[in-house]
Amino acid sequence: MRHEMVSTLRPLLAAEASAEAHAAGMEPSDLEQAVWLRLLERLETDRPLVDPQEWLRRAVRLEARRGRRAARLELPYRGDPADDTRPGPEQQALLAARRRALHSAVRRLPGRCPRLMAALLSPQDLTYREIAGELGISQGSLGPERSKCLGCLRRLLAAEVAALEPRG
C-alpha cells in the first residue's frame, strides 16, 4: 500500500468511521482497523482500486453492518466468567480425593457402622426414620450408634493422618 494512498484516505476513513460506528455499536477505531485490514487484503489480490474513496465508503458501511449483526447475535455472559465463589478444578479434585478417602475409611469400620455412615453420607439426605427403616433398627438407637461409629471413624482417620505425616 502506498504512503500517498494512506495519507489521502485516512481523514475520509476517520470521518466515515465516526459517522457509522455509534449506530453499529462499535468503537470508531475498531471500525477503522477493520477497514484498513480489508484494504490490505484487497490490495494483495493485485486488483487496483478504480475509485478508492467510493470503495472506502462501501467498506465502512459493510463493516458497520457486520458489527450490527455481531451485536445482535452475541449474548452477554449471565454471570461473571471469572466467578471466584465456585471451587476451581484444583479445589474440586481435592474435595473429590477427600470424599474418596472418607468413603474408603467408612467401608473399613466395624459392625453396622459402614451401612449407617453410608446412609448418613447419602446424597439423598435421608431422615432418621428412613435410615432406621433401611437398617432395620429403632430410630431411638440411631443417635448412640451414630456417636459410636463417628468415634471409630475419628480414631481410624487420626491414625491414617498420623501415619502419613513425615517424622523427623
Side-chain angles (χ1 to χ4, degrees), residues 23-155:
M26 299 175 71
E27 292 289 323
S29 58
D30 291 341
L31 188 54
E32 284 183 50
Q33 186 176 17
V35 173
W36 283 125
L37 182 62
R38 187 167 287 283
L39 180 61
L40 284 172
E41 290 170 347
R42 171 67 189 262
L43 293 175
E44 284 180 359
T45 64
D46 294 326
R47 291 183 299 175
L49 293 173
V50 178
D51 185 2
Q53 287 84 6
E54 184 56 33
W55 179 91
L56 186 121
R57 287 183 187 99
R58 279 187 277 128
V60 168
R61 283 167 186 74
L62 176 69
E63 289 301 324
R65 268 196 309 275
R66 282 186 178 168
R68 281 190 295 276
R69 191 176 319 123
R72 274 195 323 267
L73 296 175
E74 292 174 356
L75 299 173
Y77 283 113
R78 295 222 180 262
D80 186 7
D83 188 6
D84 291 338
T85 59
R86 295 184 193 171
E90 183 178 354
Q91 290 83 12
Q92 288 175 349
L94 291 172
L95 287 171
R98 283 187 192 136
R99 240 181 266 114
R100 282 192 303 274
L102 176 64
H103 285 281
S104 172
V106 164
R107 284 190 297 274
R108 293 191 311 269
L109 290 172
R112 292 191 292 203
C113 288
R115 289 185 61 212
L116 174 61
M117 295 306 295
L120 289 170
L121 293 170
S122 170
Q124 297 167 345
D125 196 26
L126 302 172
T127 65
Y128 267 31
R129 177 178 286 168
E130 293 168 331
I131 293 172
E134 186 177 307
L135 298 178
I137 59 176
S138 72
Q139 189 175 340
S141 66
L142 272 181
E145 188 78 21
R146 185 187 122 241
S147 294
K148 182 186 87 162
C149 293
L150 284 174
C152 288
L153 184 61
R154 257 188 232 103
R155 285 189 297 279

Side-chain angles (χ1 to χ4, degrees), residues 160-168:
E160 286 182 12
V161 169
L164 293 176
E165 289 180 357
R167 308 240 178 201

